[in-house]
């Protein structure tokens, strides 16, 4: 019953097989191999336009190299206060941009709004030279609260960015989960809605370690390659990064994996919502479930072998919140075992690890 994170998931067998398949003979290094070129072509096909795409090994690298390309050291990046770049990247955005400030905004559902961006920009102008002037906005899709920006919401943020001369970055560590949740085209959720650069995630959804930084306007990528090299993210044996991405995109594996993860989250949420002591505190729109529950129940579940994190409480909820994340590898049996255990424990019966182990 592992719902700790989609980072705890294994890699898709198709992706591991692709690594073996490319493990033959000599191939050009540092991204000059044909696999890397094919990945870029496939992404251009998926997004329906010319683009440039650069493989990197971690989501943090994708985010911070993208932001460093968009923002000057004295600029700022507007984002949600719980954005991964603000809370979980150990200052890497500030480090890689050479000091740009993250201007964080609250939003109980994890999604910032155009009005907030307008207000931030008005304030920055009011304070003149003393205040950091944002140069980009970064939104997370799906958000840190498991919610999803609709194409209309992204487009409204894109319009606000254009009004203020800001670039729009999307942290798509869970982009596939968001996309299949909405069912629109990848184009409608990104560049057509004003996204300039996407951190296209794959690791959480089946890759071993691979993400791509996608620039929809190749002119914006100026300097990116040297930043990636200087940041230690230019793999010499790039074929092994690109082979993961190629297999991830082949036969729509990325969409199948994400759809499965989302289905498991929906099922988990529906089962939990039916129980008296639990409340689902965020709309379940991708592969994360946030459930408030009595601390004793949370502790008992974890003592009985369920793995998940106690999360920060959502504004307006008294009880602590459990974050439950599903992945492509989550099984129905895991979900059902967790629901059965929760039912038993919330009914007040004593359970043991032996009875409920999966
Ligand atoms: C929203 C979000 N962005 C980016 C990342 C990428 O992080 P990492 O650098 O650990 O691959 C994560 C991983 O947890 C994430 O949740």
């Amino acid at each position: 019953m592992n719902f700790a994170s989609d980072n705890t998931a294994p890699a898709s067998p198709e992706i591991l097989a692709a690594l073996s398949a490319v493990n033959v003979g000599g191939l050009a290094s540092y991204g000059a191999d044909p696999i890397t070129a094919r990945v870029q072509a496939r992404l251009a096909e998926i997004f329906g336009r010319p683009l440039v795409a650069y493989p990197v090994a971690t989501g943090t690298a994708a985010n911070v190299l993208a932001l460093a390309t968009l923002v000057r050291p004295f600029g700022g990046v507007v984002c949600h206060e719980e954005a991964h770049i603000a809370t979980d990247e150990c200052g890497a955005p500030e480090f890689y941009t050479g000091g740009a400030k993250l201007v964080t905004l609250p939003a109980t559902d994890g999604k910032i709004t155009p009005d907030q961006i307008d207000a931030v920009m008005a304030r920055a102008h009011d304070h003149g030279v003393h205040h950091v002037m944002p140069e980009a906005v970064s939104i997370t899709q799906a958000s840190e609260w498991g919610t999803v920006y609709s194409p209309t919401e992204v487009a409204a943020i894109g319009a606000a960015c254009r009004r203020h001369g800001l670039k729009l970055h999307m942290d798509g560590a869970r982009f596939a989960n968001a996309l299949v949740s909405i069912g629109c085209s990848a184009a409608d959720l990104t560049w057509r809605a004003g996204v300039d650069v996407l951190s296209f995630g794959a690791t959480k959804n089946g890759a071993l370690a691979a993400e791509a930084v996608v620039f929809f306007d190749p002119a914006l990528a100026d300097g990116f390659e040297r930043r990636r090299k200087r940041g230690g993210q230019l793999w010499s044996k790039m074929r092994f990064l690109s082979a993961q991405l190629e297999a991830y995109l082949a036969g729509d594996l990325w969409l199948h994996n994400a759809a499965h993860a989302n289905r498991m989250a929906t099922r988990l949420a529906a089962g939990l919502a039916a129980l008296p002591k639990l409340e689902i505190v965020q709309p379940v729109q991708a592969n994360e479930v946030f459930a408030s529950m009595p601390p004793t129940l949370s502790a008992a579940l974890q003592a009985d072998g369920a793995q998940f994190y106690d999360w920060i409480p959502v504004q307006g909820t008294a009880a602590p919140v459990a974050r439950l994340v599903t992945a492509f590898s989550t099984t129905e049996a895991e979900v059902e075992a967790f629901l059965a255990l929760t039912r038993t424990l919330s009914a007040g019966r004593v359970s043991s690890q032996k009875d409920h182990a999966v």
Side-chain angles (χ1 to χ4, degrees), residues 52-66:
V52 288
Y54 300 104
V56 293
T58 70
T60 298
N63 285 342
V64 302
L65 289 169

Side-chain angles (χ1 to χ4, degrees), residues 43-241:
L43 285 168
E45 184 185 34
I46 286 167
F47 285 95
R49 63 167 289 151
L51 50 78
V52 288
Y54 300 104
V56 293
T58 70
T60 298
N63 285 342
V64 302
L65 289 169
L67 292 174
T69 309
L70 299 178
V71 178
R72 293 174 291 183
F74 49 86
V77 179
V78 179
C79 62
H80 187 267
E81 63 187 358
E82 293 301 329
H84 199 265
I85 56 171
T87 61
D88 283 311
E89 297 186 358
C90 194
E94 293 87 340
F95 180 68
Y96 275 76
T97 57
K101 183 180 170 74
L102 298 184
V103 180
T104 60
L105 299 172
T108 46
D109 61 356
K111 299 192 287 182
I112 60 173
T113 65
D115 288 349
Q116 288 178 299
I117 296 168
D118 288 340
V120 160
M121 294 310 288
R123 184 149 181 262
H125 283 291
D126 276 357
H127 288 228
V129 74
H130 307 285
H131 207 74
V132 161
M133 183 60 73
E135 296 185 336
V137 169
S138 178
I139 56 174
T140 309
Q141 181 74 311
S143 81
E144 279 76 9
W145 282 118
T147 52
V148 165
Y149 289 91
S150 70
T152 313
E153 287 170 328
V154 180
I157 290 175
C161 287
R162 281 192 297 282
R163 269 199 301 283
H164 298 292
L166 302 165
K167 296 287 179 260
L168 181 55
H169 167 255
M170 180 179 276
D171 174 352
R174 298 188 178 91
F175 182 73
N177 302 92
L179 188 67
V180 298
S181 168
I182 295 171
C184 66
S185 73
D188 284 344
L189 205 49
T190 55
W191 62 270
R192 273 201 204 115
V195 173
D196 295 296
V197 186
L198 169 69
S199 297
F200 180 81
T203 307
K204 291 175 187 296
N205 191 35
L208 196 77
E211 320 272 311
V213 183
V214 178
F215 287 87
F216 296 110
D217 174 3
L220 280 182
D222 188 37
F224 182 89
E225 292 194 60
R226 284 203 161 72
R227 283 183 197 283
R228 182 176 57 170
K229 175 68 189 182
R230 194 167 68 155
Q233 278 287 326
L234 178 63
W235 276 30
S236 55
K237 294 186 180 178
M238 182 78 81
R239 73 168 111 167
F240 293 108
L241 267 188

